[in-house]
Amino acid sequence: MISEIQRNFAKLSQAMGFQRSPSSKQKVKPISKENNDENGGDHSINARTTSNPPDSDTSDASYNSWMVEHPSALDSFDRMIKAAKGKKIAVFLDYDGTLSPIVDDPNRAFMSDEMRAAVREVAKYFPTAIVSGRSREKVKEFVELSNVYYAGSHGMDIQAPPRPVKACEGKYHTLVPGKKGNEVLSMNTKREVCKL
Ligand SMILES: O=P(O)(O)OC[C@H]1O[C@H](O[C@H]2O[C@H](CO)[C@@H](O)[C@H](O)[C@H]2O)[C@H](O)[C@@H](O)[C@@H]1O
């Protein structure tokens, strides 16, 4: 289950265009100890990008140094899971420049089908909200998903999905300790529990 979630987040990250093709990918220096102590002392995380990476024609050195400063949370997935234990996880996504590319005409800031599919998948597992400075209606028109929250006008106008996500195949859950000391996914809506 965890690896499925990890795969879906990886898809989302990939759809956001944050990863280079393997051929152009270079080794990135691990984050320094000083930069990483607050995250639990794992100093071997490879940095990747989170937003606005340099253009693909920028040199690898510049790209890599940008990546070191903007590590991807996906590279710390195990620590994220640890930190999320017993907590409800929610995903908040910006629209322009995150789910869609920045383009000259704001009416043509379309989201790719790949991105839409990745967000749909992530929203099966976590309450997912798209938060935008645009009007809620406009964002909804672009996103076209029924299983996410829409927060338009910088969060002043919020709409929940029409019906809760079904339990056990695509569900909202928290990580809780099981009776045998293992982690289980607790379904909030129907009190169902799925083993990890
Ligand atoms: O909060 P966001 O979802 O990131 O929205 C912020 C603004 O996004 C739009 O403007 C930006 O994207 C346009 C399309 O790529 C681009 O042409 C413009 O230069 C950017 O500023 C939107 O038009 C604004 O209303 C949002 O406030």
Side-chain angles (χ1 to χ4, degrees), residues 91-93 123 127-132 134-165 172:
V91 178
F92 296 86
L93 298 165
T128 299
I130 319 273
V131 188
S132 175
R134 290 178 183 261
S135 74
R136 175 175 52 78
E137 282 306 324
K138 190 69 200 175
V139 181
K140 218 176 141 186
E141 196 182 304
F142 279 137
V143 175
E144 294 182 300
L145 288 174
S146 58
N147 64 345
V148 300
Y149 289 76
Y150 289 97
S153 303
H154 301 285
M156 293 296 288
D157 183 10
I158 300 175
Q159 181 182 27
R163 52 198 140 78
V165 174
Y172 293 172

Side-chain angles (χ1 to χ4, degrees), residues 9 72-85 89 175:
F9 272 116
S72 165
L74 278 181
D75 289 324
S76 312
F77 195 79
D78 291 345
R79 275 192 286 136
M80 278 167 57
I81 291 298
K82 225 168 153 188
K85 230 181 241 182
I89 302 164
L175 288 174

Side-chain angles (χ1 to χ4, degrees), residues 6-59:
Q6 188 163 16
R7 262 199 309 279
N8 287 328
F9 272 116
K11 272 192 230 159
L12 183 63
S13 172
Q14 199 160 19
M16 285 176 182
F18 295 167
Q19 295 184 37
R20 290 181 140 191
S21 63
S23 57
S24 61
K25 210 170 176 179
Q26 283 199 342
K27 267 201 168 174
V28 178
K29 275 188 196 163
I31 292 172
S32 69
K33 183 177 188 301
E34 297 73 51
N35 290 341
N36 200 33
D37 265 348
E38 67 185 54
N39 294 323
D42 175 359
H43 309 309
S44 61
I45 301 162
N46 279 337
R48 278 214 301 264
T49 66
T50 52
S51 62
N52 303 326
D55 292 338
S56 51
D57 56 357
T58 313
S59 74

